[in-house]
Amino acid sequence: MAEEKVLTDKQIRTARYAKAMGHPVRMYVLDLLSNQSCCYSGDLSDELPIAKSTLSQHLKELKDAGLIQGEIEAPRVKYCINKENWQEAQHLFREFLKI
Amino acid sequence: MAEEKVLTDKQIRTARYAKAMGHPVRMYVLDLLSNQSCCYSGDLSDELPIAKSTLSQHLKELKDAGLIQGEIEAPRVKYCINKENWQEAQHLFREFLKI
DNA sequence: ATATTTGTTCGTAATTTTACGAACAAATAC
DNA sequence: GTATTTGTTCGTAAAATTACGAACAAATAT
């Protein structure tokens, strides 16, 4: 028998994205990356008043949530939006918020 | 001199709402309340596989974030969407996600 | 080869989140 | 009155989050 699912996959995935968006620094990064194609983490590090290790942690969370992706361009790292998942997030939030 | 603000108020407020949405149980509640006018926490407690004290905590977080509001209808409590803030969240996310 | 640049990982600490059951408060039911 | 229903608050514990500096790795520059 299939289990009674109370929480839908949609709710779980939307919550996952929302959680990743749930910090001002990560909102800043997503705002930037959704408005321009890419950025280097050095650019972020210069702007944001946090330790580079902390920034790296936030970027990792965004990567783990699937919202961004990093590409090594030695010795730097170029970050971009993960378009596929960003689109999914747009769909999920549009449905959820009915906008 | 005005301080250099790196993080905008919009980013901070959007992150605040996102954080509140960042748990499956809270997404479930918001999903329900944005689709119907109100509900009693007993209805939620019956559906969701969590302790009632845990549910109460989640409801409090949604209240603290401003997304819902509770009204005592003794001996029960009726919860509704906080329409004003829900609208603000809709605007913020629409702008952020460009949808 | 050595130094510099860039960013991650490690180790650590403080705080927050998530969860539960027990205790409690307030109203209704008997 | 006492019992029941409903939901919050309290106490507690485990896990996750946020933050920092130091150490490290990898490539480039000198």
Side-chain angles (χ1 to χ4, degrees):
Chain A
M1 294 288 287
E3 284 179 39
E4 269 299 324
K5 272 198 189 174
V6 181
L7 303 170
T8 67
D9 279 355
K10 266 188 191 176
Q11 285 162 352
I12 291 168
R13 280 182 297 154
T14 309
R16 181 75 185 86
Y17 286 130
K19 190 179 180 184
M21 297 170 183
H23 189 287
V25 164
R26 295 196 293 267
M27 276 297 313
Y28 177 91
V29 173
L30 291 172
D31 235 349
L32 196 76
L33 287 182
S34 63
N35 278 313
Q36 63 184 55
S37 56
C38 295
C39 79
Y40 294 95
S41 54
D43 306 341
L44 299 168
S45 198
D46 291 343
E47 271 303 309
L48 293 166
I50 57 173
K52 59 184 180 160
S53 55
T54 304
L55 174 61
S56 201
Q57 245 177 197
H58 283 302
L59 293 172
K60 178 168 162 33
E61 280 187 57
L62 288 173
K63 250 192 298 182
D64 290 348
L67 288 172
I68 68 171
Q69 55 202 168
E71 190 188 332
I72 294 171
E73 242 178 56
R76 298 190 293 173
V77 177
K78 191 173 74 173
Y79 281 101
C80 312
I81 282 284
N82 182 319
K83 278 181 189 166
E84 193 180 313
N85 290 333
W86 180 254
Q87 267 192 6
E88 193 203 7
Q90 284 176 316
H91 292 323
L92 288 170
F93 277 93
R94 187 163 50 203
E95 263 197 77
F96 168 57
L97 295 163
K98 288 171 264 314
I99 50 183
Chain B
M1 295 288 288
E3 282 179 41
E4 270 300 323
K5 271 199 190 173
V6 181
L7 303 170
T8 67
D9 279 355
K10 266 189 192 176
Q11 285 162 352
I12 291 168
R13 280 183 298 153
T14 309
R16 181 76 185 83
Y17 286 129
K19 191 179 179 184
M21 297 169 184
H23 190 285
V25 164
R26 296 196 293 267
M27 276 297 312
Y28 177 92
V29 173
L30 290 172
D31 234 350
L32 196 76
L33 287 182
S34 63
N35 279 314
Q36 64 183 56
S37 56
C38 294
C39 78
Y40 295 94
S41 55
D43 307 340
L44 299 168
S45 197
D46 291 343
E47 272 302 309
L48 293 166
I50 57 173
K52 58 184 180 159
S53 56
T54 304
L55 173 61
S56 201
Q57 246 177 195
H58 283 302
L59 292 172
K60 179 169 162 32
E61 279 187 58
L62 288 173
K63 250 192 299 182
D64 290 347
L67 288 172
I68 68 171
Q69 55 202 166
E71 190 188 332
I72 294 170
E73 242 178 56
R76 299 191 292 172
V77 178
K78 191 172 73 173
Y79 282 101
C80 312
I81 282 284
N82 182 319
K83 277 182 191 167
E84 193 180 313
N85 290 333
W86 179 254
Q87 267 192 6
E88 193 203 8
Q90 285 176 316
H91 291 323
L92 287 170
F93 277 94
R94 186 163 51 203
E95 263 199 75
F96 168 58
L97 295 163
K98 288 172 261 316
I99 49 183

